Amino acid sequence: MFNDIIKDRDVEQMDDNELLSLIDKERLPRHVAFIMDGNGRWARERFLPRIAGHQEGIESVREIIKVSIELGIKALTFYAFSIENWRRPEVEVNALMRLLEKYLQSELKEMMENNIRFQTIGRIKELPESARRWIEKAAHETRDNKKLILNMALSYGGRAEITDAAKLLANDLKDNKISMEEITEEFFAKYLNTHGLPDPDLMIRTSGESRISNFLLWQLAYTELHFTKTLWPDFRRREMLLAIIDYQRRERRFGLTGEQVNRR
Ligand code: IPE
Ligand code: IPE
Ligand code: MG
C-alpha cells in the first residue's frame, strides 16, 4: 500500500483535503468508539470551570458525527459517563446530567434530519428521570433511521455490563428457556447492551491516558487502539482524519501470521 511509505511527518504537514484523499473509503472502520477524556484539563488550562470543558467537548461530538457521516462510517460509540464517574463531586455530576439533557433536546431535530439513530448502553435506570425521558424519546423517534448509529455509553461499566449479561443468562437457564449447549461467545454477546452492533474496529482515547477505564471490555477484544495526547475538546475533524489514516495503516491479524493475512 502506498499509504505505508508516507512517513508520519509528511502526514502531519498535509492539509485536510490531502488527508481526506489518503483515506480508502473501502476500508473504513464500521464502528468507532471514543473515550472522550481531557475536558477538565482543557478547562483548567484556560482557568475555566471543568464544566466549560464538558460543554466544549459537546462541540467535538457534533463535529465527529459530521465527519463520520461525510466519510460513511456507520456506527459511533461515545463514552460519556462511566459508572465510576458517579463518585465525582455532586455539582459536576449534576452539571453533566443537565448537559446531556440539553444536548438531546437540541439535537433531536438534527438527528432526524441527518437520518441518525440514537441509542445507549449502560445502566440507564440510574440516570435522573428527566434525562431518562429524553433518552427514551430520542431512541424511540430515531429508531428507524439508517445512516449512522449514535450510541452513548451512560452510567456504563464494562464489568457491570458483563455481570448483568451473566445474570440474565443464568435466569434464562434456570427457567429452561435456553440450554447449556447453546452458550457460545456469539450467544453470550446477545445478552450484552451492545447486541446488534458490530464490535468497534477502532477505539480512540484522547488526553494522553493509555488505559481502557472499564470501557467495552468484551467488545474491544480485537479492536485497534489509537491514543492521542489531544484533549477531547480539541479533537475535531483533522484529528479524526489522522486517526482513520493511522487505523488504515495497521495490519489486523486476528491471531494469524502476517503471511497468512497478506495471502488473503
Ligand atoms: C472526560 O473528561 C469527560 C468525563 C469523564 C465525563 P474529564 O472530565 O475526565 O477530564 P479530565 O480527565 O479531568 O481532564
Ligand atoms: C473515562 O474517563 C470515562 C469517560 C470518558 C466517560 P475518566 O476520566 O473517568 O477515566 P479515568 O478515571 O482517568 O481512568
Ligand atoms: Mg478524565
Side-chain angles (χ1 to χ4, degrees):
M1 265 304 282
F2 93 110
N3 268 356
D4 298 337
I5 54 175
I6 297 172
K7 302 212 168 46
D8 286 343
R9 200 176 349 108
D10 301 328
V11 171
E12 296 293 339
Q13 280 162 7
M14 287 180 182
D15 67 31
D16 287 13
N17 283 332
E18 288 173 294
L19 291 181
L20 200 58
S21 70
L22 278 185
I23 293 176
D24 179 353
K25 291 279 176 78
E26 304 301 316
R27 292 194 310 122
L28 286 170
R30 277 191 304 172
H31 178 188
V32 185
F34 299 86
I35 301 182
M36 313 188 272
D37 199 13
N39 295 351
R41 278 162 282 172
W42 184 93
R44 199 173 58 206
E45 281 175 3
R46 288 162 181 77
F47 307 102
L48 294 168
R50 293 178 58 85
I51 196 68
H54 298 314
Q55 223 149 6
E56 193 61 25
I58 292 183
E59 290 309 314
S60 295
V61 173
R62 289 201 177 98
E63 195 162 317
I64 297 310
I65 292 173
K66 222 168 103 191
V67 57
S68 299
I69 290 177
E70 176 192 335
L71 289 169
I73 293 169
K74 301 305 288 178
L76 302 173
T77 295
F78 293 99
Y79 202 4
F81 194 83
S82 72
I83 280 199
E84 289 77 20
N85 289 150
W86 286 114
R87 289 157 50 213
R88 290 193 179 194
E90 202 182 324
V91 276
E92 180 163 347
V93 170
N94 291 343
L96 280 166
M97 293 301 146
R98 267 200 310 278
L99 271 184
L100 166 68
E101 233 179 277
K102 243 179 65 191
Y103 172 79
L104 289 174
Q105 269 178 37
S106 67
E107 233 55 18
L108 187 50
K109 193 161 155 263
E110 193 104 344
M111 287 181 205
M112 290 310 292
E113 281 166 8
N114 290 300
N115 204 2
I116 296 170
R117 177 174 179 180
F118 175 81
Q119 57 188 49
T120 57
I121 54 174
R123 290 183 172 165
I124 300 305
K125 281 199 198 85
E126 293 171 0
L127 298 175
E129 156 98 43
S130 51
R132 237 168 40 220
R133 266 207 307 272
W134 276 102
I135 286 168
E136 279 158 19
K137 184 175 160 70
H140 183 75
E141 288 185 17
T142 64
R143 69 192 181 284
D144 294 324
N145 291 350
K146 295 274 181 308
K147 190 162 244 155
L148 176 89
I149 293 175
L150 165 57
N151 186 32
M152 286 275 175
L154 293 163
S155 192
Y156 176 86
R159 287 188 174 178
E161 182 190 29
I162 294 169
T163 310
D164 290 348
K167 276 190 191 164
L168 290 171
L169 187 89
N171 231 336
D172 281 355
L173 200 62
K174 183 173 64 118
D175 296 345
N176 289 320
K177 286 195 193 135
I178 61 168
S179 69
M180 193 71 94
E181 290 68 42
E182 275 181 274
I183 305 172
T184 59
E185 288 182 14
E186 287 73 28
F187 191 84
F188 185 83
K190 288 188 194 145
Y191 286 83
L192 296 169
N193 288 172
T194 47
H195 61 90
L197 261 183
D199 288 342
D201 298 301
L202 172 63
M203 196 284 284
I204 299 171
R205 181 172 190 150
T206 56
S207 89
E209 313 299 348
S210 308
R211 56 176 172 263
I212 301 294
S213 302
N214 204 8
F215 188 42
L216 299 176
L217 296 182
W218 172 283
Q219 298 85 344
L220 293 180
Y222 259 106
T223 300
E224 294 298 328
L225 308 179
H226 175 92
F227 296 102
T228 168
K229 287 203 169 68
T230 303
L231 303 175
W232 178 254
D234 292 326
F235 190 92
R236 297 290 163 97
R237 187 169 189 272
R238 182 177 174 83
E239 291 282 336
M240 181 69 175
L241 298 179
L242 287 169
I244 303 292
I245 290 169
D246 175 34
Y247 165 80
Q248 291 193 335
R249 287 169 164 190
R250 310 273 182 96
E251 182 176 73
R252 302 188 75 187
R253 288 198 281 268
F254 299 99
L256 303 183
T257 66
E259 289 75 16
Q260 283 176 302
V261 172
N262 288 315
R263 223 181 294 131
R264 282 197 301 196

